[in-house]
Amino acid sequence: LNLSREYFHYLLTEHEVGKKAMEYLKNRGTTAETIKVFQLGYALPGWDGLLKYLTQKKKYSLADAQASGLIIKAQGGRSYDRFRDRLMFPLTDHRGRVVGFSGRVLDSTTKEAKYINTPETLLYHKSQLLFGFSQLYQEIRKENEVVIVEGEFDVLSSAQAHVNHVAAVKGSALTEEHMRLLSRTVERVLLCFDTDSAGIEATRRAIAVAKPFGIELRVLDFGDEGKKDPDDLARLHPQKWRHVVKSSISVYEFLIRASLNEHDPATPEGKRKIVDQLAPVMSQISHAVEKEYYVRKLAEALNVKESALTADLQKFGMVSDKRRPSRDSATQPAADSSATQPSTRRTRLEQYV
């Protein structure tokens, strides 16, 4: 895998055949320094360029080449390169070791998939990998937070715009393995997923995944301009991108906004759909004061009484703290009559403290 990285990088930077890919990178504003730091490369258009390099020149066995995910064995027994005529992104683990590759087509009109990745192998596991994490580790650690984006070019352009605490997931889901890795390095994760239904669902799932690791989840706020592509924004308006990265909102604020945009909060049907959508999310807020804040905010947005909203949320298991029995309530003496009286904001805060 490491030899293949060197091979692809050589073809891109020093060989005549890589000029087309180099021109593509130049048009996207990718600098020579970025190409070197991330060891970008180019795969030949032919069917067996890498195959011959690994098995004939470097004397690796065909079985090892296939096990690495670089070579495909067809049903008829013929073997050929997985990556052909593509810009190559080496995929490294958190220690910087090459475990796989992602290849992007240079011609957007081609009928092939825009990106193809190494399949799951002994070394490459998509659920564990964050593109750019090993290269930008020191900056991520210094900032104590990481911006999670969806594409390799988002990372490259961000780094060139001097936003160096950034990494990309392979796909649109943060996994338990990602969170375990990040929890050793950062306290905050800033999400920058697409604002379509898949991106919003990925954000919802991230709450449950992050909770056991004590990581604070936030979402980048693009303001009134709406969601912009991080790659485009970082390349064309780097100052705006730096501002956006510093303007994050809580993940709960983001999901409330998304639900209010998706459904009409002025109609009874819309109010019901919003509550149904947000109840499972809000039930995951563990701090009582924080939970009360978002319940009040949602009640104001829906123009309903806070007590009515709380009653609906309780149907989804969001039982308020004052009614939830303690873990050892069975061994406690009966509460006095004052405990049954409605609690005030002050008493709730005192109980929380």
Side-chain angles (χ1 to χ4, degrees):
L1 286 163
N2 192 56
L3 276 171
S4 298
R5 174 190 60 78
E6 293 178 357
Y7 170 78
F8 292 138
H9 186 65
Y10 170 80
L11 292 178
L12 174 68
T13 58
E14 298 186 46
H15 200 285
E16 186 77 16
V17 296
K19 281 190 173 180
K20 178 175 68 170
M22 191 64 85
E23 189 65 26
Y24 173 85
L25 289 169
K26 183 179 178 181
N27 291 336
R28 293 196 67 144
T30 309
T31 65
E33 182 184 4
T34 298
I35 292 171
K36 182 178 179 181
V37 169
F38 292 91
Q39 288 289 289
L40 305 186
Y42 174 66
L44 291 170
W47 289 85
D48 59 0
L50 181 63
L51 175 63
K52 288 180 177 177
Y53 175 75
L54 291 176
T55 59
Q56 296 181 17
K57 186 171 184 179
K58 294 300 180 180
K59 306 301 181 184
Y60 279 97
S61 71
L62 179 60
D64 283 346
Q66 291 168 347
S68 71
L70 293 165
I71 305 300
I72 296 175
K73 184 178 181 181
Q75 289 184 344
R78 174 173 163 264
S79 295
Y80 58 93
D81 295 353
R82 179 179 298 277
F83 301 98
R84 303 179 305 281
D85 196 22
R86 288 178 180 265
L87 182 66
M88 299 299 292
F89 299 87
L91 305 177
T92 58
D93 64 12
H94 64 284
R95 296 177 181 174
R97 299 173 299 189
V98 183
V99 294
F101 291 88
S102 179
R104 190 197 194 284
V105 294
L106 299 174
D107 183 2
S108 58
T109 62
T110 184
K111 295 181 180 179
E112 294 182 30
K114 184 185 289 187
Y115 283 91
I116 60 172
N117 301 311
T118 296
E120 292 284 314
T121 67
L122 188 66
L123 297 176
Y124 175 71
H125 305 287
K126 185 173 77 169
S127 62
Q128 298 175 2
L129 191 127
L130 290 168
F131 177 78
F133 182 79
S134 63
Q135 292 91 340
L136 301 173
Y137 173 77
Q138 293 301 332
E139 291 291 332
I140 292 170
R141 184 176 181 181
K142 185 172 74 175
E143 292 291 334
N144 199 25
E145 67 180 23
V146 62
V147 180
I148 296 296
V149 292
E150 291 186 329
E152 286 88 351
F153 274 110
D154 295 338
V155 174
L156 304 187
S157 298
S158 289
Q160 291 182 179
H162 305 294
V163 176
N164 293 305
H165 56 297
V166 60
V169 290
K170 300 302 296 176
S172 61
L174 271 172
T175 65
E176 185 178 329
E177 291 93 335
H178 290 145
M179 288 300 182
R180 184 174 291 107
L181 173 63
L182 292 173
S183 66
R184 303 172 193 157
T185 312
V186 302
E187 292 182 358
R188 289 177 303 281
V189 170
L190 312 182
L191 302 178
C192 186
F193 294 154
D194 287 339
T195 52
D196 58 10
S197 58
I200 292 171
E201 182 57 33
T203 303
R204 282 198 197 97
R205 290 198 303 268
I207 296 175
V209 175
K211 196 171 183 179
F213 299 96
I215 288 179
E216 178 186 1
L217 272 186
R218 299 184 68 80
V219 179
L220 295 193
D221 184 12
F222 287 81
D224 298 332
E225 297 183 22
K227 174 71 166 65
K228 296 289 185 70
D229 181 63
D231 173 37
D232 290 340
L233 196 59
R235 280 190 297 111
L236 304 175
H237 307 285
Q239 191 172 355
K240 280 187 179 180
W241 175 237
R242 290 193 291 271
H243 174 73
V244 166
V245 169
K246 293 177 180 178
S247 307
S248 62
I249 57 176
S250 80
V251 67
Y252 303 112
E253 175 86 16
F254 167 78
L255 290 173
I256 288 174
R257 288 186 190 180
S259 191
L260 291 171
N261 286 332
E262 184 180 354
H263 307 291
D264 185 359
T267 66
E269 294 80 9
K271 294 180 196 290
R272 177 177 55 78
K273 289 178 180 178
I274 290 168
V275 173
D276 290 353
Q277 198 171 64
L278 291 176
V281 172
M282 298 182 74
S283 68
Q284 297 182 63
I285 305 176
S286 55
H287 292 130
V289 173
E290 185 182 17
K291 185 182 293 184
E292 183 179 339
Y293 169 81
Y294 288 112
V295 169
R296 185 184 303 116
K297 192 176 185 71
L298 182 57
E300 291 172 357
L302 296 177
N303 195 23
V304 298
K305 291 182 179 180
E306 193 176 327
S307 57
L309 177 59
T310 301
D312 269 349
L313 292 174
Q314 286 172 357
K315 295 175 184 177
F316 289 84
M318 189 175 162
V319 182
S320 62
D321 290 332
K322 64 184 178 182
R323 295 186 182 180
R324 185 183 290 119
S326 63
R327 281 178 243 174
D328 54 354
S329 58
T331 63
Q332 297 295 322
D336 59 32
S337 59
S338 64
T340 64
Q341 298 301 316
S343 63
T344 65
R345 175 174 168 78
R346 173 171 177 163
T347 57
R348 288 200 301 273
L349 287 173
E350 287 175 345
Q351 289 168 359
Y352 173 65
V353 170

